[in-house]
Amino acid sequence: MDKITIEGGRRLRGDVEISGAKNSVLPILAATLLAEGESVIENVPDLRDVSTMIKILRTLRVHVAREKDKIYVKPARSLKHVAPYKLVSTMRASFCVLGPLVSRLGKAEVSIPGGCVIGARPIDLHLKGLKALGAQITIKHGYVNVSAHTLKGADIFLGGTCGSSVLATMNIMMAATLARGRTRIENAACEPEVVDLAHFLTKMGAHIKGAGSHLIEIQGVKKLKGVHHTVVPDRIETGTYMIAAAITRGDVMLHNVVPEHNNALIDKLTRSGIAIKKYKNKIHVQGKQRLHPIDVTTLPYPGFPTDLQAQITSLMCITPGISVITEKIYPDRFIHISELSRMGARVFLEGASAIITGVKKLSGAPVMASDLRASAALILAGLVAEGCTEVYRVYHLDRGYERLEEKLSALGAHIRREKE
Ligand code: EPZ
């Protein structure tokens, strides 16, 4: 297994190119199952989760070819309907093949998904939506079995205890594209990745209105065709590099971004004293010596994303004063705190809030990555810590950050990957 070693204390300077969004391309690849013909997806990041999704599609008899950041996807005439445990259990997004499979084939058998260890991740909303469309569902031996003679459009309220669900909205939106009649998803997720998927489906011939709002309407069509699509930039990778610039008091221009997708982070960083300029496809971040503490509460989009909670926590660990970071999406998503404490951070947990007293310096230490975004938070802390930080179990990072060491090195970080 690999580890990442960082010599802290270098200011990041220069330009960085942001990759396509992981959480957009994964459901888009699942959506290609709905088409009768080839789709070409561009701006695809080279990530382990993308390779896993390609393996799942191949298992379902989809022909997939890859050429740099482009993927050619062509479903066979007779698709298979079983997505196996070995692949689906490694990432949550793979559960998104359920909606397209049942919509296209009238049946699907998909393993209950896995993914990052960030607390309970139920699937009840996915199942509620499919039932409302007329599917019969049983769960046996760790698999969700879904069958439906025909799916019929319905009014579905997709609200959970923590609000809307991104992947459930996507799964039901995909299933409804080939259902008979009109589907209305109320309390739909508004994340940019939902909008990107809706654009892709619309190009394929789907009739979708309202994506990006809490009410999405889908009028079912008889068939969909393969199309060409470019994936939106990754707003979580963008946010991670913005915080990397801020934490190292650096000066970084981020390219190939949609600045509006990061407004919640831009607002918080600006309040903390960081200088940020937005351009059409670029964001310029200039760190400052003296930062102010901020309080952050994670919320569904356009609120502050849970996927940047660990990273902003690292920044607040070296910001003088007291900050409170409250997690409203995954109340247990705080495994990074104990590792940050190893580096000298002063944080204590009170329910779903981290109360942080900023320290002058962090000190490099061996730390263990527990999930994708927690790993990113430890790398950020390592960039500014005194001495050497070794981050173990970095395979989590490879699921979601393309060429991380290369991009950070180009900005001046002393970072390298080694065998453990
Ligand atoms: C997506 O997961 C992302 N993953 C996650 O990113 C992200 O943290 C999350 O959305 C929230 O923004 C992908 O897009 C692949 P949810 P998803 O359903 O869709 C509850 C990363 O680091 N819920 O929107 O699975 C759930 O427990 C990953 O890239 C139900 O109650 O998350 C949570 O509290 C980690 N029942 C809330 O909804 C359900 O059936 C939001 O989760 C489903 C979810």
Side-chain angles (χ1 to χ4, degrees):
M1 219 178 284
D2 292 348
K3 69 172 179 184
I4 284 183
T5 305
I6 309 151
E7 291 290 339
R10 310 270 302 184
R11 284 192 175 172
L12 299 191
R13 284 177 199 281
D15 298 80
V16 64
E17 196 75 30
I18 299 303
S19 305
K22 163 182 90 79
N23 291 347
S24 211
V25 72
L26 296 173
I28 284 175
L29 285 172
T32 61
L33 284 163
L34 291 161
E36 292 177 15
E38 183 180 77
S39 292
V40 184
I41 320 294
E42 283 197 59
N43 200 27
V44 177
D46 186 9
L47 301 172
R48 200 146 58 87
D49 277 6
V50 172
S51 307
T52 307
M53 186 55 108
I54 291 175
K55 282 185 196 153
I56 293 173
L57 290 180
R58 286 186 176 139
T59 312
L60 298 169
R61 286 212 196 106
V62 178
H63 182 263
V64 188
R66 192 166 186 163
E67 201 180 82
K68 294 187 181 156
D69 76 338
K70 229 188 237 182
I71 298 191
Y72 301 81
V73 198
K74 189 168 182 201
R77 270 176 199 279
S78 64
L79 288 168
K80 281 182 75 173
H81 72 286
V82 183
Y85 169 81
K86 228 173 84 185
L87 295 171
V88 179
S89 60
T90 64
M91 67 171 192
R92 177 88 175 168
S94 50
F95 200 56
C96 268
V97 299
L98 187 66
L101 281 179
V102 72
S103 195
R104 185 89 199 267
L105 306 175
K107 61 182 177 179
E109 220 177 300
V110 179
S111 165
I112 291 178
C116 282
V117 190
I118 54 178
R121 300 188 76 183
I123 52 168
D124 57 306
L125 294 174
H126 298 249
L127 305 188
K128 176 184 175 185
L130 288 174
K131 264 188 202 153
L133 293 176
Q136 286 86 49
I137 299 176
T138 53
I139 298 182
K140 253 193 206 160
H141 310 302
Y143 278 74
V144 179
N145 297 283
V146 183
S147 62
H149 187 57
T150 23
L151 292 179
K152 291 194 192 107
D155 288 357
I156 307 165
F157 181 82
L158 267 192
T161 41
C162 295
S164 53
S165 161
V166 178
L167 290 178
T169 301
M170 290 169 158
N171 229 341
I172 303 313
M173 189 163 76
M174 290 189 275
T177 53
L178 294 177
R180 219 165 54 199
R182 188 195 67 176
T183 298
R184 284 159 59 100
I185 306 176
E186 284 178 55
N187 204 29
C190 306
E191 271 66 4
E193 295 78 19
V194 176
V195 178
D196 200 24
L197 174 65
H199 283 155
F200 179 65
L201 293 167
T202 305
K203 285 185 201 167
M204 291 168 92
H207 291 173
I208 300 175
K209 279 199 305 203
S213 78
H214 286 303
L215 178 65
I216 300 181
E217 266 189 45
I218 304 123
Q219 185 66 43
V221 294
K222 288 229 162 69
K223 57 182 184 177
L224 296 169
K225 59 177 190 293
V227 291
H228 206 115
H229 185 75
T230 302
V231 173
V232 289
D234 195 309
R235 67 193 165 98
I236 305 303
E237 190 197 18
T238 305
T240 304
Y241 282 97
M242 288 172 69
I243 298 172
I247 206 168
T248 61
R249 279 48 172 170
D251 187 336
V252 175
M253 182 70 93
L254 293 95
H255 298 260
N256 184 33
V257 300
V258 181
E260 298 68 48
H261 289 173
N262 282 92
N263 277 344
L265 175 67
I266 291 172
D267 178 61
K268 290 295 176 190
L269 291 181
T270 308
R271 281 175 199 231
S272 184
I274 316 283
I276 299 182
K277 278 203 192 121
K278 297 196 267 182
Y279 300 91
K280 191 163 171 263
N281 298 313
K282 296 188 282 191
I283 301 178
H284 184 197
V285 184
Q286 277 179 304
K288 295 284 170 213
Q289 274 311 328
R290 175 96 192 147
L291 299 184
H292 310 292
I294 44 169
D295 294 341
V296 174
T297 299
T298 65
L299 289 168
Y301 189 83
F304 193 93
T306 172
D307 291 346
L308 288 173
Q309 180 259 108
Q311 299 91 315
I312 198 94
T313 298
S314 293
L315 178 63
M316 287 304 108
C317 285
I318 54 138
T319 300
I322 294 183
S323 319
V324 180
I325 313 277
T326 303
E327 178 54 67
K328 291 267 189 190
I329 311 289
Y330 298 111
D332 298 323
R333 193 177 198 176
F334 285 114
I335 307 180
H336 45 283
I337 298 293
S338 54
E339 299 306 292
L340 288 171
S341 304
R342 237 180 241 286
M343 300 175 73
R346 286 180 58 202
V347 187
F348 87 91
L349 277 177
E350 177 68 46
S353 295
I355 297 157
I356 306 165
T357 306
V359 294
K360 279 214 171 102
K361 279 180 184 160
L362 292 173
S363 87
V367 286
M368 194 66 83
S370 56
D371 72 71
L372 172 55
R373 309 304 171 185
S375 315
L378 296 176
I379 302 274
L380 294 177
L383 288 175
V384 77
E386 237 174 26
C388 175
T389 297
E390 291 168 312
V391 184
Y392 289 89
R393 285 209 202 143
V394 294
Y395 60 89
H396 292 290
L397 273 174
D398 300 333
R399 290 187 46 206
Y401 288 93
E402 187 178 48
R403 297 183 284 107
L404 179 91
E405 311 94 89
E406 201 184 297
K407 290 187 186 184
L408 284 174
S409 296
L411 292 172
H414 277 182
I415 179 168
R416 60 184 185 278
R417 182 181 288 251
E418 296 169 331
K419 289 278 167 231
E420 271 184 24

